[in-house]
Amino acid sequence: MTSVRIVVISVDDDGIRLDRWFARHFPILGHGRLEKLLRTGQIRLDGRRVRAGERVAAGQSVRVPPLPAPPDPVRKDPDAVLAAELAERVLYMDNDVLALDKPPGLPVQGGTGLPRHVDGALGALRFGLAERPKLVHRLDKDTSGILLLARTAPAARWLTRAFRQQSTEKTYWALVAGELRPPSGVIDLPVAKVPGRVGERMEVARDSGKRAVTDYAVVEQLGHRVAWVVLRPRTGRTHQLRVHMAASGVPVLGDGKYGGAAAFIDAEGVSRKLHLHARAIRIERPDGSSIDVTASLPAHMVRSWRFFDFRAAVPVTGHSAARKPAGAGPS
């Protein structure tokens, strides 16, 4: 048994139901037991009695009573636990498309030493369809934000075609170390994969690389120290944005792979995690209609936005319609 705990709701959990919050953070607690603890007032939200379906907000405090010790983690199904977590991070869903808000640090596909990944949990994200969702593009392990999935084989074909033909509009937000000059423009530098000391890496290779093009614009510049940048890749090369920023002398904050020591700022309010976020995506369907999705910043980037006093300290959540240019600025 554990002791009574007071747990503060994080930014990542803002807006979810209380029972979903417990399922995410205390999976050992069954729904029946949860209901009993709520009825008897042993679980409280900001000191008051609540129901299981009440939605929580970032900054609220949950009183968690003593609970049984969790089972041996070896017996838990990591894919099932991850699927439950990802189900709470759905930004958009229709009969063809599923958009997830991928957290930083979670790989899209598995590999050596990567037992927990999005691909392993997709079988539990069918949401009533017979087919397993299919990956149609990728995000780096440490990049957060929108990950699109196809819910059917026909949808996978037109989504894959849209990405290959570069007809999607992808918008990323990043914090970069240094001053980016000029404040807007186009980076057209070919990149190639080369062997490195710790696995493969991408580098600018003017003679042998594949063409990579990125549009960029500085939203706010904080002296010579850091800048908030909007990035729109026209091509989809591996690590393209990270390589282009490092080649421009302003590595993405937290990107030690491409920026080395220059990618880190020694300040208590700035995380050492990668500050690159797939903020928005716009994609046209075969019938001419479009899908627009927007993802809020992850917690570590919100803290950095607040530390540097940028205007988007509290970004929006959920998905947006096409009422304004996707990711054009703070919401």
Side-chain angles (χ1 to χ4, degrees):
M1 302 289 284
T2 60
S3 59
V4 172
R5 281 171 284 179
I6 303 298
V7 183
V8 178
I9 302 296
S10 71
V11 173
D12 284 344
D13 293 329
D14 185 67
I16 69 171
R17 289 166 50 110
L18 182 62
D19 52 1
R20 296 288 189 182
W21 184 85
F22 270 95
R24 178 182 296 182
H25 297 284
F26 299 94
I28 185 61
L29 184 63
H31 187 76
R33 176 65 173 159
L34 171 65
E35 290 284 3
K36 182 176 181 180
L37 293 172
L38 288 166
R39 285 196 305 272
T40 56
Q42 295 183 64
I43 292 176
R44 292 174 179 257
L45 182 65
D46 282 347
R48 60 185 174 83
R49 293 180 180 238
V50 288
R51 295 179 180 274
E54 181 159 337
R55 296 192 179 273
V56 300
Q60 289 185 308
S61 298
V62 181
R63 181 190 188 274
V64 181
L67 300 176
D72 185 347
V74 174
R75 296 185 179 182
K76 294 174 68 176
D77 180 355
D79 291 345
V81 173
L82 177 58
E85 295 174 3
L86 293 177
E88 291 291 347
R89 303 183 72 93
V90 172
L91 296 171
Y92 175 86
M93 182 169 61
D94 59 29
N95 291 333
D96 300 315
V97 177
L98 179 66
L100 300 176
D101 182 9
K102 188 189 82 68
L106 178 65
V108 173
Q109 292 182 299
T112 304
L114 299 174
R116 192 171 184 265
H117 49 86
V118 174
D119 192 42
L122 293 185
L125 295 176
R126 302 172 192 264
F127 296 109
L129 296 188
E131 295 183 59
R132 180 181 185 271
K134 300 168 180 60
L135 295 167
V136 291
H137 76 126
R138 307 289 187 271
L139 289 179
D140 297 346
K141 171 175 173 281
D142 295 316
T143 300
S144 60
I146 300 167
L147 180 69
L148 282 189
L149 305 168
R151 301 191 69 202
T152 65
R157 288 192 289 272
W158 67 259
L159 282 167
T160 300
R161 184 167 59 250
F163 280 104
R164 285 179 178 170
Q165 295 176 350
Q166 301 165 20
S167 60
T168 58
E169 182 181 307
K170 295 176 288 185
T171 301
Y172 290 75
W173 281 9
L175 289 189
V176 298
E179 184 177 9
L180 185 55
R181 294 293 180 187
S184 63
V186 180
I187 301 171
D188 190 345
L189 292 173
V191 297
K193 187 178 294 185
V194 297
R197 289 181 301 175
V198 187
E200 295 178 326
R201 54 178 283 136
M202 305 299 290
E203 288 186 356
V204 172
R206 298 181 184 277
D207 295 327
S208 59
K210 295 181 179 179
R211 192 182 185 201
V213 183
T214 302
D215 296 317
Y216 73 89
V218 174
V219 180
E220 289 192 50
Q221 178 74 52
L222 186 62
H224 301 290
R225 190 181 189 190
V226 68
W228 165 19
V229 183
V230 170
L231 302 167
R232 290 192 175 96
R234 298 187 197 175
T235 52
R237 309 302 179 197
T238 301
H239 296 177
Q240 173 179 320
L241 301 180
R242 297 164 61 184
V243 173
H244 276 178
M245 288 296 96
S248 301
V250 287
V252 176
L253 282 187
D255 189 6
K257 183 181 183 75
Y258 292 107
F264 299 97
I265 291 179
D266 188 14
E268 187 175 345
V270 181
S271 170
R272 293 178 67 84
K273 293 180 180 180
L274 187 71
H275 285 64
L276 181 62
H277 177 66
R279 165 68 174 172
I281 193 166
R282 179 184 176 86
I283 188 166
E284 286 197 6
R285 298 176 183 273
D287 64 5
S289 63
S290 64
I291 298 170
D292 293 76
V293 186
T294 303
S296 62
L297 292 174
H300 76 281
M301 291 182 70
V302 170
R303 288 193 294 270
S304 295
W305 253 247
R306 288 173 174 160
F307 178 84
F308 292 114
D309 197 25
F310 287 139
R311 288 181 287 129
V314 185
V316 299
T317 59
H319 72 275
S320 67
R323 289 186 294 270
K324 60 182 262 184
S331 300

